Amino acid sequence: DGGITQSPKYLFRKEGQNVTLSCEQNLNHDAMYWYRQDPGQGLRLIYYSQIVNDFQKGDIAEGYSVSREKKESFPLTVTSAQKNPTAFYLCASEGYNEQFFGPGTRLTVL
Amino acid sequence: GENVEQHPSTLSVQEGDSAVIKCTYSDSASNYFPWYKQELGKRPQLIIDIRSNVGEKKDQRIAVTLNKTAKHFSLHITETQPEDSAVYFCAANDSGGSYIPTFGRGTSLIVHP
């Protein structure tokens, strides 16, 4: 299960706090993505990045922010503006039209 | 943009039976259709994919069919086993630009021993 990692596995946050989810890949992939997964909702795209120092909003970007300062890293910040942040977050990278997913971070807002 | 519908949301079968999951897409430009399997608590993993220049692809007990005219594609699992129990996602992508697949909502497959 190497190649793309996420940390932490579980994260608890108080309302009003920002939190940052880590995503790292050693696959030398240019493209990286963040998805949110809720029961019965499938995978919804939050942000994606095709290249270093560039990223684009996905379908549900409100309340989230990202950065792409290095090819290997694509951290996601869940801000206090995100009204319903409790969810399972998946990071992915893409090579030759195949997406490789990280193990996910389960975020719970207390 | 692309819209992918997936049915059923839940599928329960007996071990040894076949299972079929169906997806429809809206964008006729889509030409790549992957299927992912996500076991409970784990990451999605690609299990099979098909491109629009073929109508069917098989890999042991799983197969995918594509009907471009009707804009639908299906996953077929034969001789199901309890370890096939998982959530399956279909996706569609137009490879003409950036790789941004649109996913279906998933099908929870339960295989009863």
Side-chain angles (χ1 to χ4, degrees):
Chain A
D1 282 347
I4 182 164
T5 59
Q6 290 182 242
S7 62
K9 187 173 182 179
Y10 299 98
L11 187 56
F12 297 90
R13 186 194 97 177
K14 293 182 180 179
E15 284 191 23
Q17 289 181 335
N18 293 355
V19 289
T20 298
L21 282 58
S22 170
C23 178
E24 302 281 330
Q25 54 102 358
N26 62 5
L27 300 168
N28 201 34
H29 289 164
D30 286 316
M32 297 187 73
Y33 311 76
W34 274 104
Y35 292 94
R36 171 177 171 143
Q37 187 173 27
D38 297 283
Q41 295 289 322
L43 300 173
R44 293 187 290 169
L45 183 63
I46 305 173
Y47 269 96
Y48 64 97
S49 169
Q50 297 292 313
I51 198 168
V52 174
N53 292 323
D54 186 57
F55 47 83
Q56 305 294 330
K57 292 182 179 180
D59 300 319
I60 56 166
E62 185 176 352
Y64 300 98
S65 65
V66 293
S67 63
R68 188 82 188 277
E69 297 177 0
K70 299 186 301 181
K71 188 175 187 177
E72 301 80 13
S73 179
F74 190 39
L76 173 74
T77 296
V78 184
T79 76
S80 56
Q82 169 50 234
K83 295 178 181 178
N84 185 22
T86 294
F88 188 56
Y89 291 87
L90 283 162
C91 178
S93 68
E94 179 263 327
Y96 300 104
N97 277 354
E98 181 176 352
Q99 280 185 314
F100 295 84
F101 287 87
T105 292
R106 188 166 296 280
L107 173 64
T108 302
V109 174
L110 303 174
Chain B
E2 177 65 274
N3 181 48
V4 176
E5 298 285 339
Q6 182 172 347
H7 299 281
S9 57
T10 304
L11 180 58
S12 183
V13 300
Q14 289 295 128
E15 183 176 0
D17 288 350
S18 295
V20 181
I21 302 170
K22 299 181 179 181
C23 290
T24 61
Y25 62 99
S26 61
D27 188 351
S28 57
S30 288
N31 55 12
Y32 176 66
F33 307 92
W35 285 88
Y36 288 85
K37 175 183 180 182
Q38 185 179 26
E39 297 179 8
L40 187 63
K42 296 190 176 180
R43 70 188 81 191
Q45 291 191 303
L46 180 71
I47 55 171
I48 195 168
D49 56 15
I50 191 167
R51 297 188 183 274
S52 59
N53 58 347
V54 297
E56 184 175 2
K57 184 177 179 180
K58 289 184 179 181
D59 183 3
Q60 298 182 2
R61 295 187 297 108
I62 61 173
V64 58
T65 58
L66 172 65
N67 183 326
K68 287 173 55 180
T69 303
K71 295 183 191 170
H72 69 71
F73 55 112
S74 300
L75 178 71
H76 304 252
I77 306 174
T78 59
E79 300 173 19
T80 53
Q81 301 167 4
E83 51 264 39
D84 293 329
S85 297
V87 178
Y88 292 81
F89 294 98
C90 64
N93 187 72
D94 167 16
S95 63
S98 302
Y99 185 74
I100 313 292
T102 300
F103 286 86
R105 291 193 169 197
T107 296
S108 177
L109 173 65
I110 304 166
V111 181
H112 298 280

